[in-house]
Amino acid sequence: MKVDIALRSYQLSAAAGAAADLEALGYDGVWTAEVAHDPFLPIPLIAAATSRVSMGTGIAVAFARTPMSLAYLGSDLQTLSGGRFILGLGSQVKAHITRRFSMPWSQPAARMREMVLAIRAIWASFETGEKLNFEGEFYRHTLMNEEFSPGPAPFGWPPIFVAGVGARMAETAGEVADGLLLHSFTTERYLREVTLPAVERGLARSGRDRRDFTIVCQPFVVTGATEAGVAETKDWVRRRVAWYGSTPAYRPVLDVHGWGDLGAELHGLSRSDLPDRLEKMLELVPGDLVAALIAKFGTCADRLRLNPTVLAPGMAPEAIRLLHGA
């Protein structure tokens, strides 16, 4: 089990020092995310400040970009990091793609599949110099002059990990990607009954097996130096569960446990104008749902990604050592 961590600060002035500290603590990888900042900008700083850890976008919003732009980013960051970069892509949800990024949305699993295939076709053209000729349903890339190609990759092309919750996206990841980034809103039961079988179907289509694929889990974790600290963290998790549970895209996780109606109630409240809607949503979240989301994934995941607030620096080295043996 490799133990990764999300970058604590997205302020570029702090990224290098934070990454160096995290590497010194023993973490295996550092991830950035596309929330309030661009996920690619800190990567060169992380690469320059470290020598061992891998670094990846977890996630970059795929459909806010084109396969060509991602191919260039992946190529440059893989070279800059000496072969330590992971291109982590996610679809996001329709509202963000169409209303925040003003980009087209349709058939997310099929579009993601084509996105990954297009990136690989572009990299193949870079590598061999052969004519670029990718024509799909969503993307078309048929022009690549020699002066626009960076040429062969000195450290190989970066692995592509795809984020997914639903079975179709997990199957797509298994077919065309190198790994799957699990959402925090994933239970062990859902992973075993829905996600892993879907990944296996995708792997079978591509002629690979589980050894060729990496699963990264990022579960909710409740820790604390005191009982009060544990209670505070658990309250934070409950709030996240309430908001994620209100999103229709995550409803399949609730359905597996027979909590689909809860998802509908949470969704209705989230769209209401009630001033105390969050408090009402929290009242609906049962303790056993929170417990199900704080579960063991060691026997079915390859990498564990932690939130930066989970382990205090003094706790990290021993915890990482124990997790390495999981």
Side-chain angles (χ1 to χ4, degrees), residues 3-325:
V3 185
D4 302 337
I5 190 165
L7 189 65
R8 177 185 292 270
S9 173
Y10 286 87
Q11 297 300 319
L12 293 181
S13 59
D21 290 343
L22 293 170
E23 182 176 70
L25 288 172
Y27 287 102
D28 299 297
V30 178
W31 295 87
T32 61
E34 188 149 25
V35 183
H37 299 277
D38 185 277
F40 292 102
L41 281 177
I43 299 295
L45 301 176
I46 296 171
T50 61
S51 61
R52 177 183 56 80
V53 294
S54 61
M55 62 213 69
T57 51
I59 53 93
V61 178
F63 302 154
R65 300 170 174 86
T66 70
M68 185 64 71
S69 64
L70 289 168
Y72 279 124
L73 280 166
S75 172
D76 290 343
L77 294 174
Q78 177 77 333
T79 300
L80 184 67
S81 65
R84 293 184 287 144
F85 180 62
I86 299 170
L87 180 58
L89 302 175
S91 63
Q92 248 297 350
V93 296
K94 180 179 179 179
H96 284 269
I97 299 304
T98 60
R99 294 165 52 197
R100 182 156 70 103
F101 291 104
S102 188
M103 293 290 278
W105 171 273
S106 65
Q107 304 177 62
R111 185 181 286 270
M112 182 65 78
R113 178 183 184 276
E114 194 171 293
M115 168 76 77
V116 174
L117 293 176
I119 293 171
R120 295 201 194 281
I122 295 166
W123 283 344
S125 177
F126 290 168
E127 186 72 30
T128 65
E130 294 182 1
K131 176 179 173 58
L132 176 60
N133 185 27
F134 183 89
E135 298 200 45
E137 180 181 357
F138 310 102
Y139 303 106
R140 183 174 184 267
H141 298 278
T142 59
L143 176 63
M144 179 52 61
N145 297 334
E146 183 178 348
E147 64 184 300
F148 297 122
S149 170
F155 300 100
W157 303 106
I160 300 176
F161 288 8
V162 167
V165 176
R168 291 185 65 184
M169 192 64 80
E171 190 168 335
T172 296
E175 180 185 2
V176 300
D178 301 293
L180 173 68
L181 296 166
L182 298 175
H183 197 281
S184 296
F185 199 77
T186 298
T187 66
E188 183 181 15
R189 179 178 172 185
Y190 183 81
L191 178 60
R192 294 185 184 279
E193 295 183 10
V194 177
T195 307
L196 291 179
V199 167
E200 293 289 352
R201 291 193 298 271
L203 288 170
R205 276 208 301 273
S206 65
R208 300 179 296 162
D209 62 34
R210 182 65 177 80
R211 292 170 295 181
D212 303 314
F213 196 77
T214 300
I215 293 181
V216 182
C217 67
Q218 40 188 339
F220 291 118
V221 178
V222 174
T223 60
T226 64
E227 290 297 328
V230 170
E232 182 179 352
T233 306
K234 187 173 290 186
D235 179 68
W236 178 86
V237 169
R238 184 180 289 270
R239 290 172 181 271
R240 302 306 297 170
V241 170
W243 277 113
Y244 286 136
S246 71
T247 305
Y250 306 145
R251 190 74 49 78
V253 178
L254 297 174
D255 289 337
V256 164
H257 293 269
W259 291 321
D261 291 343
L262 170 64
E265 288 186 79
L266 290 170
H267 180 66
L269 280 171
S270 72
R271 296 175 64 85
S272 73
D273 295 326
L274 294 173
D276 59 344
R277 61 177 180 170
L278 178 56
E279 287 70 22
K280 290 185 178 297
M281 291 168 67
L282 292 173
E283 291 173 3
L284 290 177
V285 177
D288 50 351
L289 171 55
V290 176
L293 285 159
I294 305 169
K296 296 179 180 179
F297 294 88
T299 59
C300 45
D302 308 291
R303 303 184 76 124
L304 172 68
R305 175 183 162 182
L306 297 174
N307 183 289
T309 61
V310 166
L311 294 176
M315 299 167 58
E318 178 63 12
I320 293 170
R321 185 187 69 79
L322 293 172
L323 289 166
H324 278 161

